[in-house]
Short mmCIF file of all heavy atoms in Angstrom, two decimals:
data_model
loop_
_atom_site.label_atom_id
_atom_site.label_comp_id
_atom_site.label_asym_id
_atom_site.label_seq_id
_atom_site.Cartn_x
_atom_site.Cartn_y
_atom_site.Cartn_z
N ASN A 1 9.45 -3.46 -14.71
CA ASN A 1 8.71 -3.20 -15.91
C ASN A 1 7.28 -2.72 -15.60
O ASN A 1 6.71 -3.11 -14.59
CB ASN A 1 8.63 -4.44 -16.79
CG ASN A 1 10.00 -4.82 -17.31
OD1 ASN A 1 10.79 -3.94 -17.67
ND2 ASN A 1 10.26 -6.11 -17.37
N ALA A 2 6.75 -1.89 -16.46
CA ALA A 2 5.35 -1.42 -16.30
C ALA A 2 4.42 -2.31 -17.08
O ALA A 2 4.68 -2.68 -18.21
CB ALA A 2 5.22 0.01 -16.82
N GLU A 3 3.35 -2.73 -16.47
CA GLU A 3 2.34 -3.52 -17.14
C GLU A 3 1.08 -2.67 -17.22
O GLU A 3 0.37 -2.42 -16.26
CB GLU A 3 2.02 -4.80 -16.32
CG GLU A 3 1.01 -5.69 -16.97
CD GLU A 3 0.77 -6.91 -16.11
OE1 GLU A 3 1.58 -7.80 -16.13
OE2 GLU A 3 -0.25 -6.92 -15.40
N GLU A 4 0.75 -2.18 -18.42
CA GLU A 4 -0.34 -1.28 -18.57
C GLU A 4 -1.68 -2.00 -18.43
O GLU A 4 -1.82 -3.14 -18.91
CB GLU A 4 -0.28 -0.59 -19.94
CG GLU A 4 0.96 0.32 -20.08
CD GLU A 4 0.96 1.11 -21.36
OE1 GLU A 4 -0.01 0.97 -22.11
OE2 GLU A 4 1.91 1.86 -21.58
N THR A 5 -2.63 -1.33 -17.79
CA THR A 5 -3.97 -1.83 -17.62
C THR A 5 -4.91 -0.95 -18.34
O THR A 5 -5.03 0.24 -18.10
CB THR A 5 -4.34 -1.88 -16.13
OG1 THR A 5 -3.37 -2.63 -15.43
CG2 THR A 5 -5.70 -2.49 -15.91
N THR A 6 -5.66 -1.49 -19.31
CA THR A 6 -6.56 -0.68 -20.12
C THR A 6 -7.77 -0.30 -19.30
O THR A 6 -8.13 -0.94 -18.32
CB THR A 6 -7.06 -1.47 -21.36
OG1 THR A 6 -7.63 -2.69 -20.91
CG2 THR A 6 -5.83 -1.79 -22.24
N ALA A 7 -8.44 0.77 -19.71
CA ALA A 7 -9.60 1.31 -18.97
C ALA A 7 -10.67 0.25 -18.85
O ALA A 7 -11.05 -0.41 -19.83
CB ALA A 7 -10.14 2.52 -19.70
N GLY A 8 -11.16 0.06 -17.64
CA GLY A 8 -12.24 -0.91 -17.40
C GLY A 8 -11.82 -2.32 -17.31
O GLY A 8 -12.63 -3.20 -17.06
N ALA A 9 -10.53 -2.64 -17.55
CA ALA A 9 -10.09 -4.02 -17.49
C ALA A 9 -9.97 -4.49 -16.04
O ALA A 9 -9.70 -3.70 -15.16
CB ALA A 9 -8.75 -4.17 -18.17
N ARG A 10 -10.26 -5.77 -15.85
CA ARG A 10 -10.14 -6.29 -14.51
C ARG A 10 -8.65 -6.46 -14.19
O ARG A 10 -7.86 -7.04 -14.92
CB ARG A 10 -10.80 -7.70 -14.47
CG ARG A 10 -10.73 -8.32 -13.09
CD ARG A 10 -11.46 -9.65 -13.10
NE ARG A 10 -11.36 -10.27 -11.76
CZ ARG A 10 -11.93 -11.45 -11.50
NH1 ARG A 10 -12.59 -12.11 -12.44
NH2 ARG A 10 -11.84 -11.96 -10.24
N PRO A 11 -8.21 -5.89 -13.02
CA PRO A 11 -6.79 -5.98 -12.66
C PRO A 11 -6.35 -7.42 -12.42
O PRO A 11 -7.14 -8.23 -12.06
CB PRO A 11 -6.71 -5.16 -11.34
CG PRO A 11 -8.00 -4.42 -11.29
CD PRO A 11 -9.00 -5.21 -12.03
N ARG A 12 -5.02 -7.66 -12.69
CA ARG A 12 -4.47 -8.95 -12.37
C ARG A 12 -4.43 -9.11 -10.83
O ARG A 12 -4.57 -8.21 -10.10
CB ARG A 12 -3.01 -9.01 -12.87
CG ARG A 12 -2.89 -9.01 -14.39
CD ARG A 12 -1.43 -8.75 -14.76
NE ARG A 12 -0.50 -9.63 -14.04
CZ ARG A 12 0.00 -10.74 -14.54
NH1 ARG A 12 -0.33 -11.12 -15.77
NH2 ARG A 12 0.82 -11.49 -13.86
N GLU A 13 -4.23 -10.37 -10.41
CA GLU A 13 -4.15 -10.61 -8.95
C GLU A 13 -3.04 -9.88 -8.30
O GLU A 13 -3.10 -9.59 -7.14
CB GLU A 13 -4.07 -12.11 -8.70
CG GLU A 13 -5.29 -12.86 -9.07
CD GLU A 13 -5.19 -14.35 -8.74
OE1 GLU A 13 -4.10 -14.74 -8.24
OE2 GLU A 13 -6.17 -15.10 -9.00
N ASP A 14 -1.94 -9.60 -9.03
CA ASP A 14 -0.81 -8.92 -8.44
C ASP A 14 -0.84 -7.44 -8.68
O ASP A 14 0.17 -6.75 -8.47
CB ASP A 14 0.52 -9.53 -8.91
CG ASP A 14 0.71 -9.35 -10.40
OD1 ASP A 14 -0.23 -8.95 -11.07
OD2 ASP A 14 1.83 -9.67 -10.87
N SER A 15 -1.96 -6.88 -9.13
CA SER A 15 -2.04 -5.44 -9.34
C SER A 15 -3.06 -4.87 -8.35
O SER A 15 -3.67 -5.56 -7.58
CB SER A 15 -2.39 -5.09 -10.75
OG SER A 15 -3.40 -5.90 -11.26
N VAL A 16 -3.20 -3.55 -8.36
CA VAL A 16 -4.03 -2.86 -7.41
C VAL A 16 -5.39 -2.58 -8.02
O VAL A 16 -5.50 -2.20 -9.18
CB VAL A 16 -3.39 -1.53 -7.00
CG1 VAL A 16 -4.25 -0.79 -6.01
CG2 VAL A 16 -2.01 -1.80 -6.42
N SER A 17 -6.44 -2.76 -7.22
CA SER A 17 -7.81 -2.49 -7.74
C SER A 17 -7.95 -1.03 -8.10
O SER A 17 -7.38 -0.15 -7.50
CB SER A 17 -8.84 -2.87 -6.67
OG SER A 17 -8.74 -4.21 -6.36
N GLN A 18 -8.81 -0.76 -9.14
CA GLN A 18 -9.02 0.55 -9.62
C GLN A 18 -10.48 0.86 -9.78
O GLN A 18 -11.32 -0.04 -9.83
CB GLN A 18 -8.38 0.75 -10.99
CG GLN A 18 -6.97 0.31 -11.13
CD GLN A 18 -6.58 0.18 -12.56
OE1 GLN A 18 -7.03 0.94 -13.43
NE2 GLN A 18 -5.81 -0.80 -12.88
N LYS A 19 -10.85 2.13 -9.85
CA LYS A 19 -12.21 2.48 -10.19
C LYS A 19 -12.42 2.18 -11.70
O LYS A 19 -11.52 2.42 -12.50
CB LYS A 19 -12.41 4.00 -10.02
CG LYS A 19 -12.45 4.44 -8.56
CD LYS A 19 -12.99 5.83 -8.43
CE LYS A 19 -12.20 6.83 -9.25
NZ LYS A 19 -12.65 8.21 -9.06
N PRO A 20 -13.54 1.63 -12.07
CA PRO A 20 -13.84 1.41 -13.48
C PRO A 20 -13.75 2.70 -14.27
O PRO A 20 -14.19 3.75 -13.83
CB PRO A 20 -15.29 0.84 -13.47
CG PRO A 20 -15.45 0.28 -12.08
CD PRO A 20 -14.67 1.18 -11.20
N GLY A 21 -13.13 2.60 -15.43
CA GLY A 21 -13.01 3.78 -16.31
C GLY A 21 -11.72 4.52 -16.20
O GLY A 21 -11.38 5.35 -17.01
N ASP A 22 -10.92 4.23 -15.14
CA ASP A 22 -9.65 4.87 -14.99
C ASP A 22 -8.58 4.04 -15.70
O ASP A 22 -8.61 2.84 -15.69
CB ASP A 22 -9.25 5.01 -13.50
CG ASP A 22 -10.01 6.14 -12.85
OD1 ASP A 22 -10.62 6.91 -13.59
OD2 ASP A 22 -9.99 6.23 -11.61
N SER A 23 -7.59 4.71 -16.29
CA SER A 23 -6.48 4.00 -16.93
C SER A 23 -5.22 4.17 -16.17
O SER A 23 -4.26 4.74 -16.59
CB SER A 23 -6.30 4.54 -18.36
OG SER A 23 -6.08 5.90 -18.35
N LEU A 24 -5.28 3.71 -14.89
CA LEU A 24 -4.11 3.78 -14.03
C LEU A 24 -3.17 2.66 -14.35
O LEU A 24 -3.56 1.52 -14.41
CB LEU A 24 -4.58 3.68 -12.56
CG LEU A 24 -3.55 3.86 -11.49
CD1 LEU A 24 -3.01 5.28 -11.50
CD2 LEU A 24 -4.14 3.52 -10.14
N THR A 25 -1.91 3.01 -14.60
CA THR A 25 -0.92 1.99 -14.94
C THR A 25 -0.37 1.36 -13.68
O THR A 25 -0.01 2.05 -12.73
CB THR A 25 0.26 2.63 -15.72
OG1 THR A 25 -0.29 3.24 -16.87
CG2 THR A 25 1.25 1.59 -16.16
N THR A 26 -0.23 0.04 -13.68
CA THR A 26 0.41 -0.64 -12.59
C THR A 26 1.57 -1.45 -13.13
O THR A 26 1.83 -1.45 -14.32
CB THR A 26 -0.56 -1.58 -11.83
OG1 THR A 26 -0.94 -2.63 -12.76
CG2 THR A 26 -1.76 -0.84 -11.37
N SER A 27 2.30 -2.13 -12.24
CA SER A 27 3.44 -2.91 -12.70
C SER A 27 3.49 -4.24 -11.97
O SER A 27 2.84 -4.44 -10.96
CB SER A 27 4.74 -2.19 -12.49
OG SER A 27 5.12 -2.25 -11.12
N LYS A 28 4.31 -5.13 -12.46
CA LYS A 28 4.59 -6.35 -11.79
C LYS A 28 5.68 -6.07 -10.71
O LYS A 28 6.06 -4.91 -10.51
CB LYS A 28 5.06 -7.39 -12.76
CG LYS A 28 4.02 -7.74 -13.82
CD LYS A 28 4.48 -8.76 -14.79
CE LYS A 28 4.51 -10.12 -14.18
NZ LYS A 28 4.86 -11.20 -15.10
N THR A 29 6.16 -7.12 -10.08
CA THR A 29 7.15 -6.89 -9.01
C THR A 29 8.41 -6.23 -9.59
O THR A 29 8.87 -6.53 -10.67
CB THR A 29 7.52 -8.25 -8.40
OG1 THR A 29 7.94 -9.14 -9.42
CG2 THR A 29 6.34 -8.81 -7.66
N MET A 30 8.96 -5.34 -8.76
CA MET A 30 10.19 -4.66 -9.15
C MET A 30 11.38 -5.64 -8.95
O MET A 30 11.26 -6.70 -8.36
CB MET A 30 10.42 -3.41 -8.33
CG MET A 30 10.76 -3.70 -6.86
SD MET A 30 11.10 -2.21 -5.93
CE MET A 30 12.64 -1.71 -6.69
N ALA A 31 12.54 -5.24 -9.50
CA ALA A 31 13.76 -6.06 -9.28
C ALA A 31 14.01 -6.15 -7.77
O ALA A 31 14.13 -5.15 -7.09
CB ALA A 31 14.92 -5.41 -9.99
N GLN A 32 14.08 -7.38 -7.26
CA GLN A 32 14.18 -7.56 -5.83
C GLN A 32 15.63 -7.29 -5.36
O GLN A 32 16.60 -7.56 -6.04
CB GLN A 32 13.82 -9.02 -5.50
CG GLN A 32 12.37 -9.32 -5.75
CD GLN A 32 11.48 -8.72 -4.69
OE1 GLN A 32 11.70 -8.86 -3.48
NE2 GLN A 32 10.46 -8.01 -5.11
N LEU A 33 15.72 -6.76 -4.12
CA LEU A 33 16.99 -6.65 -3.48
C LEU A 33 17.40 -7.97 -2.90
O LEU A 33 16.57 -8.67 -2.33
CB LEU A 33 16.96 -5.59 -2.39
CG LEU A 33 16.88 -4.13 -2.79
CD1 LEU A 33 17.03 -3.27 -1.54
CD2 LEU A 33 17.93 -3.74 -3.81
N VAL A 34 18.67 -8.30 -3.03
CA VAL A 34 19.23 -9.45 -2.33
C VAL A 34 19.85 -8.92 -1.05
O VAL A 34 20.79 -8.15 -1.07
CB VAL A 34 20.28 -10.20 -3.18
CG1 VAL A 34 20.89 -11.33 -2.41
CG2 VAL A 34 19.64 -10.71 -4.47
N VAL A 35 19.32 -9.34 0.07
CA VAL A 35 19.74 -8.85 1.39
C VAL A 35 20.63 -9.94 2.05
O VAL A 35 20.21 -11.09 2.16
CB VAL A 35 18.56 -8.53 2.30
CG1 VAL A 35 19.04 -8.12 3.69
CG2 VAL A 35 17.66 -7.45 1.69
N THR A 36 21.83 -9.54 2.44
CA THR A 36 22.75 -10.45 3.17
C THR A 36 22.87 -9.98 4.61
O THR A 36 23.15 -8.84 4.88
CB THR A 36 24.15 -10.45 2.52
OG1 THR A 36 24.01 -10.91 1.11
CG2 THR A 36 25.06 -11.44 3.25
#
């Protein structure tokens, strides 16, 4: 799922840092693969 980050908002701990003023969309963890 995509977790939108509004312009100038402080990113969550699990998102990527951005330049202030940019509205770069980040997401939470993707569906994990189960490896056997």
Side-chain angles (χ1 to χ4, degrees):
N1 293 321
E3 181 181 283
E4 295 186 0
T5 303
T6 57
R10 182 178 180 180
R12 291 167 52 98
E13 291 183 0
D14 62 351
S15 45
V16 180
S17 300
Q18 310 165 35
K19 290 193 303 183
D22 283 349
S23 57
L24 185 66
T25 303
T26 64
S27 78
K28 299 180 73 175
T29 54
M30 71 176 292
Q32 293 286 310
L33 287 188
V34 177
V35 177
T36 300

